[in-house]
Amino acid sequence: MKKKVLSLILSTAMVASLAACGSESAPATTDGGQSTDTAAQTTDATATTETAETAEAGEYELTDLYITVDGTLTANVDNGQDAFIEQWEAAVSEKLGHDIKLHINQPEHSGYKDNVAQLLTTGQPGDGQYPDALIMSATMFKQYQNTGILWNMADAYANAEFQSRITLPSINENMKTANGELYAFAPTYGNGCVTYIKQSWLDAAGLKVDDIKTFDDYYNMLKAFTKDGQTGVIAAGFGKLDEAPYINYMPEFWQGAYPAIYQKDGQWVDGFQEQATIDALTRLAQGYADGVIDKDTEEASTKTAREKWFSNDQSTSEGVFTYWAGTWLRTLTDNLDKNDVDTDLGDDRLVQLPPIKEIKDTWGGYINREAPVWVITDDGDGDDSREQAIFDALIETMLDGDKVQTLWTYGAEDVHWSTHAESFTTNPDDPDKKKDYEYAEGEFHLKQSPNDPNSVWKKNHLDPVLVIAPLTNGFVDNDELVQAGNKFFTENCVDAPQSPSSEILTEVEADLATDKTTLMNEVVAGKKTAEDAIAEYQAKWGDTITEILDELNAQ
């Protein structure tokens, strides 16, 4: 069963990756869902087997820990990962009383889903490649939950030391099965996307963000922005139909639609067949025909869309970009600054658009996605001692409130952050961008990024605002722009629908996503109507969807 289902996941994932026109897996992300593109990175992937049993029966001493992570671990190979690993090993050794060597496999972010499928299908524990633990998006987790490959960590989670400090218990409680099993752990809540608008473009059009209250207002703004090679909006695809919450990159066009299986009034339904999706596809097609949606959107990755939006060549750029909240308000602003875009406006060059009326009337706000999770692989030997040792070394320490949690939150001490007296200057050779920083002894602060001395480091894997158990050492980054971004999102978001878990759906989900994406792109390009596309989908998938819904509603 395990290998069969995993092989299905692998084969269908490969088909989806070839047909999805440059789509990327969201990061989980992070970045509270905050995506970072990284090169393929593997640290000590060929090291020897990771574990050794002690003489005492029932005990298990972990000597090597293999983890697979996506781009949400920003301390990558080029950004101080060696220091992160060294300090993690020292801190965990101090906590557990024995040494553990950490091995990090960090594949290319855009191919992460396929890479994981290959690792879990072809590998086995102890081979130097197979992960002991790994990061998964909520959608990936639902695909693997019923395969038998993941360990039920319910008891370990219930007895974890950090339980006494959890401020958001519902995040993980809601992931438990009807039988109380827990196959994943979310250290943060999910985060989501908000719509950013360039202030200079609003000024040029004679508009204010307070003027944009309805879809008609939004669409008229896009039309005002679309002229002389410039375009209203760009996104990484018209919809991300292989990754929940599906609609977050173009929420104004999707409005109340949810093109996936979700719960509605207590029953599981297929949102792709609903009238709301037909209406959304029709709006997207109109936007594409009118030229207010950038033509590159269909094939753009998140990296491509970002870089075109904050490019120093604004003559072929766009005015609107919906992307991750919080830290990304700072990141996008800094990238505009690096490219000499609207430098006279400083930190005021971007504004965040409150949810338009149609979004508020349907969902209630921007969608806060289901949280990315950590999972532990089960070796299937019936003995939980290995898996418990992995939990203790990785997840228990990740939320220790102090040294290890700080490593996951901000990175390595004196590499990514420090409490020592320090002064430094970014962009010292550019009078318009030059900025001086000075900190007293004992004052927590972030340092210059290891691979870019002209930018200040932001965070590592855990967002301190989203984490379910806060740091207890008082370390906090006081970037006012990040705080403003997080405040805006939390005041304007609602939780995403829960992802379904079904054996039939697991087998066909990647093929469904591929077909839905193809149909969506054909409608937007004007090759067929939305009604015809949905009819074609129903003809091919109707019986299978009925089986899936029956299975889900019987649970």
Side-chain angles (χ1 to χ4, degrees):
M1 169 66 180
K2 182 186 299 185
K3 292 295 182 183
K4 176 184 175 183
V5 175
L6 283 175
S7 295
L8 283 165
I9 291 173
L10 175 62
S11 61
T12 53
M14 290 303 183
V15 172
S17 69
L18 292 172
C21 299
S23 64
E24 289 188 346
S25 299
T29 214
T30 183
D31 69 324
Q34 301 165 12
S35 175
T36 304
D37 293 274
T38 59
Q41 300 153 3
T42 304
T43 305
D44 293 324
T46 57
T48 57
T49 184
E50 76 271 293
T51 54
E53 293 186 68
T54 62
E56 295 184 43
E59 293 187 6
Y60 196 97
E61 184 172 302
L62 195 70
T63 59
D64 291 77
L65 175 64
Y66 293 86
I67 64 174
T68 297
V69 302
D70 60 12
T72 60
L73 182 75
T74 55
N76 55 42
V77 166
D78 297 327
N79 252 330
Q81 190 170 99
D82 286 348
F84 168 78
I85 291 173
E86 180 181 359
Q87 292 186 24
W88 183 93
E89 291 175 348
V92 170
S93 174
E94 181 180 341
K95 277 189 171 296
L96 301 184
H98 63 89
D99 293 341
I100 298 176
K101 188 170 181 58
L102 178 64
H103 309 271
I104 299 177
N105 176 26
Q106 190 166 20
E108 178 74 23
H109 192 87
S110 60
Y112 185 74
K113 185 187 301 184
D114 294 343
N115 189 277
V116 166
Q118 287 181 307
L119 287 174
L120 296 181
T121 304
T122 61
Q124 58 185 352
D127 66 4
Q129 295 286 338
Y130 194 87
D132 294 316
L134 63 154
I135 296 171
M136 287 186 175
S137 69
T139 304
M140 285 180 65
F141 167 58
K142 293 298 184 179
Q143 290 179 326
Y144 286 95
Q145 182 173 340
N146 297 319
T147 62
I149 203 72
L150 307 181
W151 181 58
N152 173 20
M153 62 178 75
D155 290 341
Y157 172 75
N159 295 313
E161 183 276 334
F162 57 69
Q163 281 288 347
S164 62
R165 294 184 294 103
I166 288 181
T167 57
L168 296 169
S170 63
I171 302 297
N172 286 285
E173 291 299 326
N174 290 342
M175 287 196 297
K176 289 183 177 179
T177 68
N179 297 323
E181 298 163 332
L182 182 66
Y183 291 99
F185 170 73
T188 66
Y189 76 80
N191 202 17
C193 293
V194 300
T195 296
Y196 298 102
I197 309 173
K198 292 169 182 169
Q199 181 63 57
S200 64
W201 290 47
L202 285 170
D203 293 341
L207 295 171
K208 296 180 180 179
V209 69
D210 292 340
D211 298 330
I212 316 303
K213 299 184 181 298
T214 67
F215 180 73
D216 285 344
D217 297 335
Y218 173 82
Y219 200 80
N220 287 332
M221 175 186 67
L222 298 185
K223 288 198 291 186
F225 287 171
T226 303
K227 58 183 180 180
D228 302 326
Q230 295 180 323
T231 313
V233 62
I234 191 169
F238 305 116
K240 194 72 173 67
L241 302 189
D242 64 341
E243 187 71 42
Y246 311 106
I247 63 174
N248 56 337
Y249 288 156
M250 299 198 81
E252 290 80 14
F253 283 90
W254 286 98
Q255 297 179 12
Y258 202 73
I261 292 173
Y262 73 108
Q263 273 191 317
K264 182 178 182 179
D265 300 325
Q267 290 290 305
W268 291 95
V269 299
D270 181 13
F272 194 72
Q273 299 184 52
E274 294 183 321
Q275 184 63 42
T277 293
I278 293 175
D279 295 341
L281 294 175
T282 302
R283 279 189 294 270
L284 286 163
Q286 187 64 55
Y288 190 80
D290 289 347
V292 302
I293 299 174
D294 193 294
K295 300 296 184 184
D296 289 338
T297 293
E298 179 180 343
E299 298 187 4
S301 64
T302 52
K303 181 175 185 291
T304 299
R306 288 196 309 266
E307 292 181 349
K308 188 172 184 186
W309 190 70
F310 53 59
S311 168
N312 58 6
D313 181 8
Q314 289 289 292
S315 66
T316 57
S317 188
E318 309 78 19
V320 177
F321 184 48
T322 302
Y323 210 60
W324 299 102
T327 302
W328 273 96
L329 177 56
R330 166 57 68 191
T331 303
L332 294 172
T333 301
D334 286 352
N335 276 287
L336 289 169
D337 189 58
K338 288 179 185 178
N339 289 314
D340 293 314
V341 178
D342 301 332
T343 54
D344 58 313
L345 295 175
D347 284 352
D348 296 325
R349 71 195 76 193
L350 294 182
V351 293
Q352 300 173 97
L353 176 67
I356 60 173
K357 180 181 185 298
E358 290 82 355
I359 292 176
K360 289 191 288 187
D361 288 349
T362 51
W363 290 112
Y366 290 118
I367 292 182
N368 174 43
R369 67 173 179 171
E370 290 182 282
V373 298
W374 282 90
V375 298
I376 293 173
T377 55
D378 191 331
D379 58 17
D381 66 359
D383 181 354
D384 289 342
S385 56
R386 165 189 167 270
E387 292 82 1
Q388 181 68 54
I390 294 168
F391 183 96
D392 293 344
L394 179 67
I395 293 177
E396 178 76 86
T397 65
M398 186 181 292
L399 295 185
D400 70 348
D402 195 13
K403 287 184 179 180
V404 185
Q405 187 168 340
T406 300
L407 283 164
W408 287 107
T409 304
Y410 293 118
E413 184 174 6
D414 293 328
V415 175
H416 301 108
W417 62 272
S418 181
T419 58
H420 297 303
E422 181 177 17
S423 61
F424 58 83
T425 301
T426 55
N427 298 294
D429 300 325
D430 188 336
D432 294 329
K433 295 182 179 181
K434 179 180 177 182
K435 188 171 182 179
D436 297 321
Y437 298 83
E438 186 167 354
Y439 301 97
E441 183 68 24
E443 183 179 4
F444 173 83
H445 62 275
L446 300 177
K447 295 172 64 68
Q448 292 158 288
S449 296
N451 70 345
D452 183 4
N454 288 322
S455 67
V456 177
W457 185 254
K458 297 175 180 65
K459 70 175 187 65
N460 190 15
H461 174 60
L462 301 179
D463 191 318
V465 178
L466 309 180
V467 74
I468 65 170
L471 284 164
T472 58
N473 56 16
F475 291 172
V476 61
D477 172 29
N478 291 312
D479 187 310
E480 293 182 359
L481 209 55
V482 173
Q483 292 178 344
N486 282 318
K487 182 175 185 292
F488 179 87
F489 180 71
T490 55
E491 290 176 348
N492 291 283
C493 75
V494 294
D495 287 340
Q498 181 182 0
S499 295
S501 177
S502 155
E503 287 189 17
I504 301 173
L505 181 59
T506 296
E507 294 182 8
V508 303
E509 193 160 24
D511 286 338
L512 273 173
T514 298
D515 284 357
K516 288 192 293 187
T517 299
T518 298
L519 291 169
M520 173 184 66
N521 291 341
E522 288 176 343
V523 171
V524 176
K527 297 178 180 179
K528 59 184 60 171
T529 66
E531 289 82 1
D532 286 346
I534 300 305
E536 183 178 328
Y537 169 83
Q538 290 170 332
K540 179 175 181 179
W541 289 103
D543 291 343
T544 303
I545 295 298
T546 298
E547 290 183 49
I548 293 169
L549 295 178
D550 288 345
E551 181 181 2
L552 289 168
N553 286 315
Q555 291 176 358

